[in-house]
Amino acid sequence: MPFLLRLLCLLPLLGTAAFIAPEAAKPKAVTVYLVRHAEKGPLADPQKPAEQPLSAAGALRAQALRDVLRKEPIVAIYSTDTKRTRDTAAPLAEARKISPESYVADPPGLAALATRIRQVTPAGKAALVVGHSNTVLETIEALGAPRPIKAIGDDEFSYLFVVTLPASGGPATATVRRYGAGK
């Protein structure tokens, strides 16, 4: 009798484990967050456009990006090799103790970046890509998702794109939200 009683007590737990196990075994997607660099400050040397810093508003936006993504499972940060993209990524990189990796924002470079993200980002984790108004949407396409908007204007800095790369190998999807103050 004691054995039967113990078995009856375990049945609800076994049923719960059987119910939870398929969900836990379900493969998780990779998420890629993409932003354009934050607002630019004045260009000190016209011969060095890659060294253009962020403005005060841009520095605040970079902090807002950190705050918005602070709890996301970001394991990698990618930035073009310009001061404004590196500075946009810096607050989150410092908070997460991640060293951003540089990438080249031309078509072959974007294809290589998309391949790298797919190969090295673990399921259920995320990456951040910081680019430019003329490369972010192209990066979304390189990841296999359609553009969620047609273009990014020169004065628009608040787009936060979210690309989901399904573990099943299905088509990638992209959505857009806003972050920080202003446009």
Side-chain angles (χ1 to χ4, degrees), residues 21 39 43 51-52 118 122 166:
E39 289 88 338
L43 183 57
E51 292 306 309
Q52 187 169 19
R118 286 182 180 278

Side-chain angles (χ1 to χ4, degrees), residues 15-41:
T16 302
F19 180 72
I20 292 174
E23 184 63 32
K26 186 177 179 183
K28 296 183 180 184
V30 167
T31 304
V32 183
Y33 297 96
L34 300 99
V35 296
R36 175 195 186 184
H37 60 77
E39 289 88 338
K40 301 178 275 189

Side-chain angles (χ1 to χ4, degrees), residues 7-145:
L7 184 60
L8 287 173
C9 289
L10 288 175
L11 280 177
L13 295 175
L14 292 174
T16 302
F19 180 72
I20 292 174
E23 184 63 32
K26 186 177 179 183
K28 296 183 180 184
V30 167
T31 304
V32 183
Y33 297 96
L34 300 99
V35 296
R36 175 195 186 184
H37 60 77
E39 289 88 338
K40 301 178 275 189
L43 183 57
D45 184 349
Q47 301 300 321
K48 297 180 181 178
E51 292 306 309
Q52 187 169 19
L54 295 179
S55 66
L60 289 174
R61 186 172 307 279
Q63 292 171 6
L65 179 64
R66 175 203 58 209
D67 296 344
V68 166
L69 298 179
R70 183 179 295 260
K71 294 183 181 180
E72 299 304 324
I74 294 175
V75 296
I77 298 174
Y78 302 93
S79 166
T80 62
D81 194 22
T82 64
K83 182 168 178 45
R84 59 192 176 274
T85 56
R86 290 189 311 263
D87 289 353
T88 301
L92 180 64
E94 290 167 9
R96 301 300 294 270
K97 297 182 179 16
I98 297 172
S99 294
E101 294 181 40
S102 290
Y103 71 94
V104 178
D106 61 12
L110 297 180
L113 174 64
T115 298
R116 177 155 177 74
I117 289 170
R118 286 182 180 278
Q119 289 177 343
V120 304
T121 309
K125 300 298 181 183
L128 169 66
V129 176
V130 183
H132 303 272
S133 62
N134 63 346
T135 65
V136 170
L137 297 173
E138 289 79 358
T139 306
I140 291 169
E141 290 175 331
L143 288 164

